[in-house]
């Protein structure tokens, strides 16, 4: 190769290298570069920052107390508090906006035509709201993580008409009804909704009327949660509508000493000492849970209880296996239903109703 040829090759390599270095960013890189972090301090408006945010942005709250309610309708938005010190949201002095008027703390809301997608709420405390700490409706892939919802009048963290949610590592305590509540709808009578794989995991539920209520849903996983000090720990609720509630997995949960007393309501008898209760559900697996020291004399009391729903819907084809269920009253395992195909096997327990299941 002549000197002239060598020089031409070197120039070509340099040009190619320069062209590669100047290549435009890929779409994910461009999206990442365009994301904005909106920082809010106590005394400033969270809602103003949320309204200014675009899809993919984050609203980050400094430690302290904020007195307002917040509505999120922007997809792929993250609202998070500080991990260094508590970030607390409590009701404002004057209710402003639909979320506040309804008595909620944080509202994540989409529409029937366009569910709000990919919202994350994390590392916050939501306290003393008249209704719900966090209320979500018509969402897809909502993530609620590291949220403490306490002393709210109704539900701590609640959602309806939502799919593919992840509710994890939250604390729900001392709420008026359920600490966590997930449902098909709350204002109409409809059949169960397939959630596409909603996961409820690693939450701690204490001091509520009911730790967790899963109502009229299908395809939900409930695992590695702890429920203690509630009137009832876990309710899986169905009815006579179709599709029926079921096709769920409740595994590796620790349910113990849920012995708080709650008086009867128009819908339910008094509650005390209920561990895991299935009413009107089908094809649900309850396995590898520890259910201990839940004591009471309610019709729904016991460690793991199958109970015909109050509208007459039966539990059918559910599997209760490999659980440790001890020192529960009036029974560790109780099948108070006449539904067919329910199987109890491999459980460690002391007393069953009817006898012979331990």
């Amino acid at each position: 190769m002549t000197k002239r040829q060598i020089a031409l090759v070197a120039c070509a390599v340099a040009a190619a290298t320069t062209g590669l270095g100047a290549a435009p960013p890929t779409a994910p890189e461009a999206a990442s570069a365009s994301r904005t972090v909106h920082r809010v301090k106590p005394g400033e408006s969270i809602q103003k920052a949320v309204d200014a945010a675009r899809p993919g942005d984050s609203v980050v709250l400094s430690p302290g107390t904020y007195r307002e309610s917040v509505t999120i309708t922007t997809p792929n938005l993250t609202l998070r508090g500080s991990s260094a010190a508590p970030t607390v949201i409590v009701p404002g002095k004057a209710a402003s906006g639909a979320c506040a008027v309804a008595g909620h703390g944080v509202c994540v809301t989409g529409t029937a035509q366009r569910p709000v997608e990919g919202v994350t709420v994390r590392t916050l405390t939501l306290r003393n709201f008249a209704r719900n700490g966090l209320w979500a409706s018509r969402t897809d892939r909502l993530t609620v993580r590291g949220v403490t919802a306490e002393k709210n009048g109704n539900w701590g963290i609640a959602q309806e008409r939502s799919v593919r949610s992840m509710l994890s590592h939250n604390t729900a305590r001392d709420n008026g009804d359920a600490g966590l509540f997930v449902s098909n709808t709350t204002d109409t009578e409809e059949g169960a909704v397939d959630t596409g794989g909603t996961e409820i995991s690693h939450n701690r539920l204490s001091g509520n009327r009911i730790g967790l209520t899963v109502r009229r849903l299908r395809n939900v996983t409930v695992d590695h949660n702890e429920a203690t000090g509630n009137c009832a720990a876990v309710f899986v609720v169905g009815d006579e509508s179709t599709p029926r509630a079921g096709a769920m997995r409740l595994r590796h949960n620790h349910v113990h000493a849920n012995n708080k007393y709650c008086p009867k309501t128009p819908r339910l008898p008094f509650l005390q000492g209920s561990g895991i209760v299935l009413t009107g559900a089908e094809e649900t697996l309850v396995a590898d849970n520890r259910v201990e020291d839940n004591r009471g004399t309610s019709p729904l009391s016991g460690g793991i209880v199958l109970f015909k729903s109050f509208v007459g819907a039966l539990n059918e084809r559910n599997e209760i296996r490999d659980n440790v269920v001890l020192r529960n009253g009036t029974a560790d395992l109780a099948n108070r239903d006449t539904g067919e195909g329910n199987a109890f096997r491999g459980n460690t327990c002391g007393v069953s109703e009817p006898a012979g299941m331990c």
Side-chain angles (χ1 to χ4, degrees):
M1 182 179 291
T2 67
K3 291 182 178 180
R4 176 179 174 80
Q5 290 172 323
I6 292 172
L8 289 171
V9 169
C11 289
V13 170
T17 303
T18 302
L20 288 173
T26 63
E29 290 170 341
S32 177
S34 67
R35 291 174 181 168
T36 300
V37 176
H38 305 259
R39 299 191 180 276
V40 184
K41 298 178 181 178
E44 298 176 342
S45 169
I46 303 171
Q47 189 65 63
K48 184 176 180 180
V50 167
D51 291 344
R54 304 184 67 179
D57 287 359
S58 295
V59 176
V60 179
L61 310 182
S62 297
T65 299
Y66 298 79
R67 302 181 184 278
E68 64 177 296
S69 295
V70 182
T71 298
I72 300 172
T73 59
T74 302
N76 299 307
L77 179 73
T78 294
L79 173 65
R80 66 178 176 88
S82 169
S83 57
T87 302
V88 183
I89 301 179
V90 299
K93 292 183 179 180
S96 176
C99 188
V101 170
H104 309 318
V106 173
C107 296
V108 185
T109 55
T111 66
Q113 294 74 29
R114 184 171 293 182
V116 62
E117 299 181 350
V119 169
T120 296
V121 180
R122 59 181 302 173
T123 326
L124 297 171
T125 295
L126 306 174
R127 180 187 297 150
N128 289 336
F129 287 93
R131 292 294 304 283
N132 309 320
L134 184 145
W135 170 246
S137 182
R138 301 190 188 279
T139 72
D140 186 355
R141 298 186 188 277
L142 170 69
T143 297
V144 182
R145 182 181 177 90
V147 169
T148 296
E150 61 186 10
K151 299 180 179 178
N152 299 291
N154 196 33
W155 302 317
I157 297 169
Q159 68 172 34
E160 62 154 11
R161 293 181 169 96
S162 295
V163 296
R164 296 183 288 187
S165 302
M166 170 63 77
L167 310 179
S168 71
H169 296 86
N170 303 294
T171 297
R173 60 185 173 224
D174 301 330
N175 296 287
D177 196 85
L180 298 183
F181 178 88
V182 292
S183 176
N184 59 345
T185 67
T186 57
D187 58 1
T188 60
E189 295 294 331
E190 298 179 10
V193 169
D194 190 315
T195 71
T198 285
E199 297 186 25
I200 303 169
S201 67
H202 293 91
N203 301 287
R204 192 172 196 277
L205 314 168
S206 65
N208 308 286
R209 180 178 176 84
I210 302 169
L212 166 66
T213 297
V214 181
R215 191 176 79 178
R216 300 174 187 168
L217 292 176
R218 297 182 67 82
N219 195 4
V220 178
T221 297
V222 178
D223 66 60
H224 292 92
N225 302 282
E226 181 184 11
T228 187
N230 308 283
C231 303
V234 179
F235 270 14
V236 175
V237 181
D239 59 20
E240 74 279 14
S241 302
T242 55
R244 296 188 62 196
M248 305 184 205
R249 295 154 297 281
L250 285 71
R251 305 194 64 178
H252 301 291
N253 300 287
H254 189 197
V255 175
H256 60 102
N258 291 279
N259 299 326
K260 180 180 174 182
Y261 176 88
C262 290
K264 69 178 182 179
T265 69
R267 296 179 64 91
L268 291 174
F270 81 91
L271 298 177
Q272 186 179 38
S274 294
I276 298 174
V277 179
L278 273 61
T279 70
E282 67 176 13
E283 299 169 356
T284 290
L285 173 66
V286 182
D288 303 303
N289 302 284
R290 293 191 67 88
V291 185
E292 304 165 307
D293 301 307
N294 304 283
R295 296 181 175 276
T297 57
S298 166
L300 300 172
S301 296
I304 300 176
V305 179
L306 269 59
F307 194 91
K308 181 173 64 175
S309 81
F310 290 95
V311 295
L314 303 178
N315 291 288
E316 295 181 322
R317 302 182 305 282
N318 299 290
E319 183 177 8
I320 294 86
R321 64 171 171 82
D322 301 326
N323 302 282
V324 175
V325 197
L326 296 171
R327 302 180 301 279
N328 300 281
T330 55
D332 295 315
L333 299 178
N335 186 0
R336 299 171 185 148
D337 201 340
T338 57
E340 298 181 351
N342 298 301
F344 293 78
R345 67 171 187 268
N347 300 289
T348 300
C349 61
V351 177
S352 69
E353 178 190 327
M357 294 193 294
C358 291

